[in-house]
Amino acid sequence: TFFHAVLVGFGLLMRTQQLQSDVALETPMSGRDQSELESVVGTFVNYLPLHFRVNADMRFSGLLHEVRDLVTDCFEHGQFRYEDMLADLENEGDGNATTNLPAPAAFICQHDFVRPITAGGVALTAVPSVSPGALRPLTVFMVERADGWRLSCEVDSHVVSQQAGLHLLEDFRRLLKEIAAGAED
């Protein structure tokens, strides 16, 4: 899918930025898969941890198949939260289990939720969202709008500089263009 392709692109980018083959990412999924939550008002989002290895000699198509299978498996086990996994690892080990795990970047790819519409005298319009601030060291957003895809990021300025975030977005844009052109296969 498109999501798998851009996720692999982001994984390739993280590999080149971090100069290591292990890539740790998080991506959100809806938490509304339980019928008992249907009547509850509110947002239910779970960030799924994704960890995969990007070897320098891997072809894009091979990595795409691996990541597709990984994502499919992770979505089937979406009730497990990243924070719970870290706590379980810490409880099983000597208390330092999480110190060697990389802080994952978050990758969010979604469609624009609100399309302006008027029905029965009520108008629904989009209002720009306001971020509460970076919840992770790096969060990259790809949002499909009526006029095309918007690429943006949030950074925790204690971990990643604003300039580094802008540079990463430009590198990601360039990499996606190369993937779309078939430069990576």
Side-chain angles (χ1 to χ4, degrees):
T1 65
F2 177 80
F3 172 72
H4 294 127
V6 295
L7 180 65
V8 168
F10 188 64
L12 289 169
L13 178 69
M14 295 307 295
R15 183 199 178 280
T16 60
Q17 298 288 321
Q18 298 172 356
L19 299 176
Q20 59 188 28
S21 59
D22 286 327
V23 176
L25 303 171
E26 291 181 305
T27 194
M29 72 171 281
S30 171
R32 292 277 186 177
D33 57 352
Q34 299 170 354
S35 60
E36 59 269 14
L37 296 177
E38 287 181 8
S39 63
V40 178
V41 175
T43 303
F44 291 85
V45 176
N46 186 18
Y47 278 84
L48 294 177
L50 303 173
H51 176 258
F52 53 94
R53 185 173 298 271
V54 182
N55 296 318
D57 58 344
M58 285 185 94
R59 300 180 69 88
F60 180 81
S61 58
L63 184 57
L64 182 61
H65 290 323
E66 277 189 31
V67 169
R68 179 201 60 204
D69 293 344
L70 169 74
V71 169
T72 300
D73 187 46
C74 286
F75 274 103
E76 288 174 3
H77 299 90
Q79 71 274 17
F80 299 109
R81 298 176 341 127
Y82 185 77
E83 294 84 0
D84 295 339
M85 181 189 71
L86 291 181
D88 287 347
L89 287 173
E90 212 165 82
N91 290 335
E92 288 177 11
D94 59 4
N96 294 321
T98 60
T99 57
N100 294 328
L101 294 176
F107 180 74
I108 299 171
C109 181
Q110 62 192 24
H111 300 285
D112 196 1
F113 291 115
V114 179
R115 305 272 185 205
I117 188 171
T118 302
V122 176
L124 180 65
T125 59
V127 176
S129 60
V130 178
S131 171
L135 301 176
R136 286 162 176 71
L138 173 68
T139 302
V140 172
F141 301 89
M142 283 189 71
V143 180
E144 185 182 27
R145 304 276 187 194
D147 59 343
W149 285 91
R150 181 186 71 169
L151 182 61
S152 63
C153 73
E154 288 181 346
V155 297
D156 178 343
S157 61
H158 294 94
V159 181
V160 179
S161 72
Q162 181 179 4
Q163 190 62 30
L166 292 172
H167 182 70
L168 181 120
L169 288 177
E170 181 55 33
D171 287 349
F172 190 35
R173 186 191 64 76
R174 189 175 18 260
L175 179 60
L176 290 176
K177 284 179 80 170
E178 289 176 15
I179 290 170
E184 283 277 350
D185 59 24

